[in-house]
Amino acid sequence: MDPAHNLDSTRPDSILIVDFGSQVTQLIARRVREAGVYSEIAPFSMAEEAFHRMKPKGIILSGSPAGVPEEGSPRAPELLFEAGIPILGICYGQQVMTHQLGGEVRPGHETGEGGEFGRAFLTVTKDCALFDGLWKEGERHQVWMSHGDKVTRFADGFEIVATSDGAPFAVIADEKRQFYGTQFHPEVVHTPDGGKLIANFAHKVCGLKGDWTMAAYRETKVAEIREQVGDKRVICGLSGGVDSSVAAILIHEAIGDQLTCVFVDHGLLRLDERQQVETMFRDHYNIPLVVVDAEERFMAGLDGVSDPEKKRKFIGGEFINVFEEEAAKIGGADFLAQGTLYPDVIESVSFTGGPSVTIKSHHNVGGLPERMNMELVEPLRELFKDEVRDLGRELGLPDIFVGRHPFPGPGLAIRIPGEVDKSRCDILRKADAIYLDEIRKAGLYDAIWQAFAVLLPVKTVGVMGDHRTYDSVCGLRAVTSTDGMTADVYPFDAAFLTQVATRIVNEVQGINRVVYDYTSKPPGTIEWE
Ligand code: XMP
């Protein structure tokens, strides 16, 4: 069968999300998926092409770090407003729609009111299709605002349907054209009814059925992979984590033996991780696996490097070197597959190449050297971690595997602030294994998103058996999260932490003090580097 034809037949009714560079655009796609509707994100500069290709039944305009009154700030293609299909503009999306349809947006400082950031309450002033079955006239509801500029005059045809103290135009609607604009962000969890509002837009305004599932995602991705790869060869970087495993199994389903998986032991793995991965893939799956022992070259390259970004860049680059060598050995591969997830992408560069700010260069993305001569296959790029787990279950992976905590590509290197060497990795491996062992024994593993030990570049004085010690400090981290984008500290009880600290200091030579990290994300990040 013609693969392009196959792809079209699996592409369901959809919503086009136009990205203006907001940090949370992908959350819009996620809410739309949760409503059982397929969506794609296109940067504003490519939205016209995406519109023609997808023939969507609705459009959502995202937020942006830019301001509509700023010169050169992005605009939506005019044809979207003339297409006769529903539009929901969120924050910047509301403002840019207002501006492009003839209304007025002014910078917050000019209105003399400043911006509005964080939790806010709005009052519903009129019923509208977006609120159907959810919010009624006169009710007050919590929402999440994050804006400086304001709509000061709306475009013809619009009216106010909800208002807040800081945003008189909290929600505007043109029911005739089915255009809606919210000043707040319905896509974030801090707007408790936000997901339902987006579902209302998808189901009640756009008229979509909501019958799209992870099984459909699997089918669509398998068809896309076949189309992208054709009869070429793919090499997949397997880390043993959930993401790269799900990616490998999905790609294997699509192209079978055209896929070769490479597992790089860079010496930055957790205790026994390499054996676990080998057993898992050789014994349980019939997927070709090459294991590369690259510890020495990674350690040599990390020697003397203490800057986190330099570590990440080196590890990312060296990974690709190893892949290229392995690809050459198997007779060449045209594609490199990675289990890159959405949060890896958004914090490195904007998902769509737009202007969101770099927090860290996650190694699957920012570390790729320009010279890399393989194309990327990244079938999980639009998903959040919990969605990847759903997809893993859909693909038949056992729960115990699917439930594993995330482990970053640069491995223990970013859990050893400062210089990394083999002996420090060995110390950390032991401490980390004890910590996770205690967590499992306490039955807490599944309640925690991610737990790990960190080895600090600080030595402190201790006393053991009448002797003075002068050894390293070990930090413990455990967080809860739904997607890794934000995280809360896991509240262990003191007895548990005491037990872990005692075991680590007693059993791991080189550590004489243990501390617990009490920082949420934001303002911290989950990893220490
Ligand atoms: P941060 O530290 O940015 O981490 O709050 C968010 C999630 O991403 C993981 N992480 C990475 N994963 N390559 C990866 O594959 C990386 O370079 C990387 N850095 C962080 C981190 O473990 C957490 O789950």
Side-chain angles (χ1 to χ4, degrees):
M1 191 185 351
D2 167 16
H5 170 77
N6 188 15
L7 185 61
D8 273 348
S9 67
T10 61
R11 187 171 280 137
D13 283 345
S14 63
I15 287 182
L16 167 63
I17 299 167
V18 180
D19 182 24
F20 294 108
S22 157
Q23 293 273 349
V24 289
T25 299
Q26 191 53 228
L27 284 178
I28 304 173
R30 185 192 166 122
R31 300 290 165 245
V32 174
R33 281 201 289 275
E34 282 168 356
V37 171
Y38 180 74
S39 70
E40 280 186 32
I41 296 176
F44 64 92
S45 55
M46 288 161 68
E48 190 163 337
E49 180 275 323
F51 174 80
H52 290 305
R53 179 171 48 80
M54 288 168 61
K55 303 180 182 59
K57 297 283 190 286
I59 291 164
I60 300 182
L61 307 175
S62 86
S64 176
V68 169
E70 283 167 29
E71 213 181 295
S73 58
R75 300 285 176 262
E78 288 294 335
L79 98 166
L80 300 187
F81 300 112
E82 291 148 18
I85 58 174
I87 299 181
L88 171 62
I90 295 174
C91 196
Y92 183 91
Q94 180 205 44
Q95 298 180 356
V96 83
M97 173 164 69
T98 297
H99 172 83
Q100 291 187 249
L101 294 175
E104 183 187 66
V105 180
R106 288 175 56 197
H109 63 87
E110 274 183 22
T111 62
E113 291 165 7
E116 195 180 22
F117 300 91
R119 196 160 66 131
F121 286 88
L122 55 68
T123 305
V124 178
T125 53
K126 197 165 189 291
D127 290 334
C128 93
L130 207 57
F131 305 155
D132 192 26
L134 191 65
W135 291 357
K136 290 203 186 64
E137 195 181 323
E139 287 179 356
R140 260 167 80 74
H141 292 282
Q142 185 189 318
V143 295
W144 188 259
M145 295 278 189
S146 182
H147 65 102
D149 303 337
K150 280 186 187 148
V151 171
T152 43
R153 179 169 45 80
F154 46 62
D156 286 348
F158 281 89
E159 58 183 342
I160 294 174
V161 291
T163 177
S164 76
D165 290 345
F169 298 81
V171 187
I172 54 174
D174 175 344
E175 295 268 27
K176 210 160 139 217
R177 284 188 285 185
Q178 294 186 295
F179 290 174
Y180 302 86
T182 67
Q183 185 55 73
F184 63 90
H185 286 269
E187 70 275 35
V188 303
V189 289
H190 304 85
T191 298
D193 284 336
K196 290 183 190 149
L197 287 172
I198 289 177
N200 261 3
F201 177 72
H203 301 153
K204 297 190 173 161
V205 179
C206 302
L208 295 167
K209 283 207 287 285
D211 53 1
W212 186 82
T213 59
M214 243 334 145
Y217 189 87
R218 170 188 186 172
E219 226 180 280
T220 306
K221 283 293 153 190
V222 163
E224 272 178 23
I225 294 164
R226 283 187 189 143
E227 187 192 53
Q228 186 189 2
V229 170
D231 59 3
K232 305 261 173 56
R233 293 197 63 86
V234 180
I235 191 165
C236 178
L238 209 60
S239 70
V242 182
D243 308 342
S244 57
S245 303
V246 170
I249 293 163
L250 187 67
I251 294 169
H252 192 251
E253 176 165 307
I255 56 163
D257 287 350
Q258 286 164 252
L259 170 72
T260 303
C261 290
V262 176
F263 177 68
V264 180
D265 180 355
H266 50 20
L268 302 162
L269 299 167
R270 289 166 293 188
L271 200 68
D272 299 332
E273 193 154 18
R274 174 171 167 175
Q275 289 81 338
Q276 285 162 11
V277 172
E278 284 192 278
T279 317
M280 169 92 183
F281 274 78
R282 293 223 167 107
D283 294 359
H284 300 283
Y285 294 93
N286 201 12
I287 301 179
L289 175 67
V290 178
V291 178
V292 190
D293 191 344
E295 183 175 28
E296 261 177 43
R297 64 194 271 187
F298 274 89
M299 288 304 152
L302 283 169
D303 189 28
V305 183
S306 55
D307 177 75
E309 280 299 288
K310 286 196 179 128
K311 283 187 201 173
R312 284 173 171 277
K313 290 265 151 78
F314 164 73
I315 295 169
E318 195 65 357
F319 248 94
I320 303 303
N321 291 338
V322 175
F323 278 126
E324 281 181 335
E325 289 166 23
E326 292 310 314
K329 282 186 204 155
I330 59 163
D334 306 274
F335 293 92
L336 174 69
Q338 296 197 127
T340 314
L341 300 196
Y342 178 67
D344 305 338
V345 179
I346 189 66
E347 292 187 358
S348 300
V349 286
S350 158
F351 176 75
T352 48
S356 67
V357 180
T358 299
I359 311 286
K360 307 179 180 181
S361 318
H362 279 200
H363 106 268
N364 351 26
V365 187
L368 295 183
E370 300 277 280
R371 59 157 184 74
M372 197 191 90
N373 55 19
M374 284 185 267
E375 241 183 85
L376 287 175
V377 184
E378 296 181 310
L380 313 180
R381 209 178 151 85
E382 293 138 41
L383 299 184
F384 288 88
K385 192 82 183 186
D386 53 329
E387 294 179 301
V388 171
R389 293 194 165 124
D390 287 347
L391 181 59
R393 284 188 201 98
E394 173 64 36
L395 288 162
L397 272 166
D399 271 344
I400 178 128
F401 189 81
V402 165
R404 284 180 68 163
H405 290 176
F407 187 62
L412 300 184
I414 57 170
R415 295 179 178 175
I416 303 179
E419 284 189 35
V420 178
D421 60 32
K422 181 167 162 29
S423 71
R424 291 187 74 70
C425 290
D426 286 339
I427 293 173
L428 180 56
R429 265 188 275 273
K430 286 185 198 144
D432 189 68
I434 292 170
Y435 183 33
L436 284 165
D437 180 49
E438 289 295 329
I439 287 175
R440 283 211 176 81
K441 282 205 291 218
L444 300 175
Y445 190 84
D446 290 340
I448 294 169
W449 162 268
Q450 210 168 355
F452 55 87
V454 179
L455 189 63
L456 306 190
V458 177
K459 284 192 162 191
T460 66
V461 174
V463 53
M464 284 179 91
D466 293 337
H467 290 288
R468 177 186 192 267
T469 59
Y470 188 55
D471 277 327
S472 295
V473 179
C474 170
L476 301 179
R477 182 99 168 114
V479 294
T480 55
S481 177
T482 50
D483 51 27
M485 303 270 290
T486 58
D488 287 313
V489 176
Y490 188 80
F492 288 121
D493 62 37
F496 175 84
L497 288 173
T498 307
Q499 161 74 2
V500 176
T502 306
R503 268 196 71 189
I504 289 177
V505 172
N506 284 348
E507 294 175 36
V508 184
Q509 226 182 7
I511 293 175
N512 69 351
R513 191 178 294 269
V514 176
V515 296
Y516 189 56
D517 176 356
Y518 238 97
T519 322
S520 61
K521 173 182 179 175
T525 53
I526 295 176
E527 303 291 346
W528 277 42
E529 286 193 333

